[in-house]
Amino acid sequence: MNMKWKLTLRYVLSIAFVAIFVVILNIIALISLTFYTASQNQDKDIARNGAGAYVRKFEQYINVDENNNLILNEDGKKSLDKNGLWIQVLDEDSKEVYNYKKPEDVNTKHTPIELINGYKYSSGFGGSSDILAGEKKFKNESYTYLIGFPMAYITKYIFIMENDKLVEYIKIAINSIIIIDFLIAVIFGYIFSKGLTRPVKKIITGVDDLADGNYDVYYKEKGVYSKVFGKLNSLSDILKSSEIERVKIEKMREDWIANISHDIKTPLSSIKGYAEVLSEDYDFTSEEISEFANIINSKADYIKELVDDLNLTMRLKNSNSIINKEEVNLNSLVKNSVIDIFNDPRYSDRDIEFIDSEKVIKKPLDKTLMKRVINNLIYNALVHNNEDISISVKVFEDEKAHIIIKDNGKGIGEDELKYIFERYYRGTNTGEAHKGSGLGMAIAKEIIVAHGGDIQIRSELSKGTEIEITL
C-alpha cells in the first residue's frame, strides 16, 4: 500500500472512530436526560411534563358537589380547553357519571375489553382521540376517568415478546446502529479526509518530481502546509541551480579532457616524428641531432608536467598524508620563490616587488608544495598578462600569517572568477603559449586547505587581481 493511501486510511479511521465515540456519548447523554426528565415530572404542565404525568395529576380537579355528584372545577375545565382535551368519568361498573366535551361517538358504558383496547391502542375508542386513564377515590368508592388526547399529542405502540427475544432484538438493534453509524462515519470521514490529505498528496507528488529530476515545479504557499510548500519551492530552486552548475562542470570536464588529450597528442606527435627522423639512416650533423634531442626532451617534460599535475590532484583529493610539514620561515620561502622567477631568463626584467614582514614568521609547512603554490600564482600573473605588468608580493602576520599576490593586469570577469578554483577550468584569456593542465589553481587551493589555511581571490576586469593566502 503506497503512502498516499496509508495517510488517507489513517485519517478515515481516526474520524470514523471519533464519530462512533461521539454517537455513543450522545446516546448515553440522551438516555440520562430522559431519566432525569422523568424524575422531574411532578408539578409541571403538559407541555414540559408529558401526557402521562398530566393525567395522573388531573384528579386534583375532580370534586363532588353538595349532592355528592362528581363535578370538574373551573381550573380543570380551563386546562382541558387550553389543551383541546375531553374527559369521561366512570364508576366501578364502567358507567359514565360525568363528562366534559366528550365526543358523541364515545359510549356511556364500556365493557372491560373496550377499556383495555381503548387504553392500549390508538383510536381504541374510535374517532380521532387517544385516551389515557386515571383514578379518583371518594370515600369508599373508586372512579376511573378517561382523558382523550388529539392523536397529534400522543402515539401508542404495543410490543409483546418474550424476555429472551427482547434481549436478542436489543442486541441486534445496537449492533445494527453501530454498523450503520460506522459506515456513515467512514463515508463522511473519507470525504472530510480528502480535504486534509490533498495537500499531503501534493507534497508527495512534489518530492517524487524532485526525485525524478523535474525541478520546474512551484506550489502556492498556503494552508496548514504552507511552510512545507515553501521548503519544496526552495529545494526545487536549489536543485535546479545545482543541476545547472553540474552541467557546467561536466561540460568543463569534457572540454578539459579534450584539451588535455590534444595537448598530450601534440608533443607526442613531435616526439614520434623526431624519433622516426633520427632512426632513419640520414647523415645528420651533431648540432642537428642535439637540436632534435632537446625538442624531444622538452616535449617529454611537458607531458611529464601534465601527468604530475593529474597525479598530485588525485593524491590531494583522496588523502592529506602526502603533506610533510616542517618548521619553515615563511618570509624566506616566499622571497626565494620571487628570486627563482627573477632567475628565469623569460621574466628577469619584469616588475615584481617583494614586501617582507617586519618580523620572522615561522609556520609548519610542506616546503616543496607551498613553494609550488607561490610559484604557480606568480607565474599565472606573469603569463596571463602583458609584459608591462606590475606585481607585488607581500607577507605579514596579525592573528594569522598572510601572503598577498597582487597585480594590475587584465583582471578576471565575474563569470570566470567563480570557477577559478575548479578542477578542469582553463580561463578564456589563456593563449596558445600558456597552455597547462587546468589544474594549477585547484591544486593551489587543495594544498592551502590541506595546511588548514584558506585562499581567496578578488579581481576586476582591466584593474587587476589580488590573491590572499591565510595560514
Side-chain angles (χ1 to χ4, degrees):
M1 185 183 295
N2 61 40
M3 187 175 180
K4 295 179 183 179
W5 283 108
K6 284 184 179 179
L7 288 170
T8 302
L9 183 60
R10 181 178 177 182
Y11 276 109
V12 169
L13 291 178
S14 299
I15 295 169
F17 283 119
V18 169
I20 291 174
F21 182 71
V22 171
V23 169
I24 292 173
L25 286 181
N26 288 337
I27 292 172
I28 294 172
L30 182 61
I31 294 173
S32 301
L33 181 62
T34 301
F35 280 109
Y36 175 79
T37 303
S39 67
Q40 301 295 320
N41 273 339
Q42 322 296 327
D43 305 324
K44 295 190 180 190
D45 61 24
I46 189 172
R48 300 180 59 190
N49 210 7
Y54 177 81
V55 171
R56 288 191 297 272
K57 291 172 57 180
F58 197 80
E59 64 169 323
Q60 63 183 316
Y61 302 121
I62 302 173
N63 299 309
V64 294
D65 59 13
E66 61 275 6
N67 298 320
N68 287 327
N69 294 320
L70 288 177
I71 61 171
L72 188 64
N73 65 25
E74 292 301 318
D75 289 338
K77 291 178 180 179
K78 288 179 181 179
S79 179
L80 293 174
D81 291 338
K82 178 182 178 181
N83 293 290
L85 310 178
W86 57 267
I87 189 171
Q88 182 183 43
V89 184
L90 307 175
D91 61 15
E92 292 179 346
D93 294 327
S94 300
K95 291 182 180 179
E96 180 182 298
V97 295
Y98 179 84
N99 79 77
Y100 180 75
K101 293 189 176 181
K102 180 195 73 172
E104 293 180 359
D105 57 352
V106 176
N107 297 330
T108 57
K109 179 177 174 54
H110 306 287
T111 64
I113 193 66
E114 286 178 343
L115 289 174
I116 292 172
N117 289 335
Y119 187 79
K120 284 174 59 177
Y121 303 111
S122 293
S123 302
F125 274 3
S128 59
S129 298
D130 284 328
I131 67 165
L132 294 177
E135 183 183 30
K136 178 73 176 182
K137 289 185 178 181
F138 285 108
K139 298 181 181 180
N140 293 325
E141 294 189 27
S142 178
Y143 296 90
T144 300
Y145 58 90
L146 308 176
I147 297 180
F149 289 81
M151 293 184 68
Y153 268 52
I154 59 175
T155 301
K156 295 179 179 179
Y157 300 96
I158 304 300
F159 297 96
I160 300 174
M161 63 181 65
E162 296 84 354
N163 287 337
D164 56 344
K165 289 289 184 182
L166 177 61
V167 172
E168 184 180 345
Y169 289 148
I170 290 174
K171 288 181 179 179
I172 293 173
I174 291 174
N175 290 336
S176 299
I177 291 172
I178 291 175
I179 292 172
I180 292 171
D181 285 347
F182 181 78
L183 292 175
I184 293 173
V186 167
I187 292 170
F188 282 95
Y190 176 73
I191 295 171
F192 179 68
S193 67
K194 284 184 70 176
L196 294 176
T197 58
R198 192 177 295 114
V200 178
K201 291 178 182 178
K202 285 185 179 179
I203 293 169
I204 295 172
T205 302
V207 173
D208 288 341
D209 286 339
L210 294 179
D212 293 337
N214 179 19
Y215 308 131
D216 294 321
V217 294
Y218 179 80
Y219 296 98
K220 292 183 179 179
E221 299 173 18
K222 63 178 183 178
V224 179
Y225 301 101
S226 58
K227 290 185 178 180
V228 180
F229 286 127
K231 294 291 185 183
L232 271 179
N233 292 332
S234 177
L235 181 59
S236 176
D237 292 339
I238 292 171
L239 290 175
K240 188 174 182 179
S241 299
S242 298
E243 178 63 15
I244 292 172
E245 289 298 310
R246 188 195 67 79
V247 171
K248 286 182 179 179
I249 296 297
E250 183 65 19
K251 180 66 167 57
M252 285 166 50
R253 188 184 71 85
E254 291 175 358
D255 292 345
W256 175 82
I257 291 174
N259 289 333
I260 288 294
S261 298
H262 179 268
D263 290 351
I264 291 176
K265 280 182 179 180
T266 301
L268 277 177
S269 297
S270 296
I271 292 172
K272 190 173 186 302
Y274 283 109
E276 288 176 350
V277 168
L278 289 173
S279 66
E280 296 292 334
D281 190 15
Y282 291 110
D283 188 15
F284 293 111
T285 64
S286 59
E287 289 81 6
E288 289 175 328
I289 294 173
S290 176
E291 181 183 352
F292 295 160
N294 287 334
I295 293 174
I296 291 173
N297 187 58
S298 172
K299 300 300 182 182
D301 286 342
Y302 179 74
I303 294 174
K304 183 179 180 298
E305 179 186 342
L306 293 179
V307 173
D308 286 346
D309 280 355
L310 287 172
N311 183 48
L312 179 59
T313 189
M314 293 308 297
R315 290 166 64 199
L316 286 168
K317 179 181 178 182
N318 296 322
S319 174
N320 291 333
S321 60
I322 65 169
I323 304 296
N324 298 312
K325 292 183 180 179
E326 59 180 293
E327 200 72 16
V328 175
N329 185 328
L330 194 59
N331 295 298
S332 299
L333 177 68
V334 177
K335 183 177 181 180
N336 289 334
S337 292
V338 174
I339 292 172
D340 288 342
I341 292 171
F342 275 128
N343 289 333
D344 187 334
R346 296 172 297 172
Y347 307 113
S348 59
D349 59 345
R350 298 296 178 90
D351 181 11
I352 304 175
E353 179 186 14
F354 174 66
I355 304 171
D356 200 351
S357 172
E358 296 179 356
K359 61 180 180 179
V360 175
I361 303 173
K362 288 194 174 182
K363 289 285 180 180
L365 306 172
D366 186 309
K367 187 174 182 180
T368 302
L369 291 178
M370 190 59 63
K371 189 170 183 180
R372 175 181 178 135
V373 172
I374 305 303
N375 287 352
N376 183 65
L377 295 177
I378 298 175
Y379 271 119
N380 277 348
L382 290 169
V383 301
H384 295 311
N385 290 290
N386 298 326
E387 292 186 3
D388 59 353
I389 183 76
S390 293
I391 301 172
S392 68
V393 182
K394 182 179 181 181
V395 181
F396 67 94
E397 185 179 39
D398 42 30
E399 293 180 358
K400 293 185 177 182
H402 300 265
I403 304 170
I404 297 178
I405 300 170
K406 185 176 181 180
D407 67 63
N408 62 349
K410 299 175 182 178
I412 305 169
E414 259 185 58
D415 291 339
E416 294 187 61
L417 201 60
K418 59 184 177 181
Y419 298 114
I420 202 72
F421 293 116
E422 295 287 347
R423 287 185 180 89
Y424 322 127
Y425 181 74
R426 301 171 86 176
T428 55
N429 63 352
T430 302
E432 287 294 319
H434 309 138
K435 286 183 179 180
S437 66
L439 295 170
M441 293 299 286
I443 290 172
K445 182 170 184 177
E446 286 167 353
I447 291 172
I448 298 299
V449 170
H451 281 81
D454 186 33
I455 181 169
Q456 298 291 330
I457 184 167
R458 296 173 285 274
S459 186
E460 191 174 345
L461 286 174
S462 303
K463 292 188 176 181
T465 301
E466 178 180 293
I467 299 174
E468 181 176 5
I469 298 171
T470 306
L471 296 169

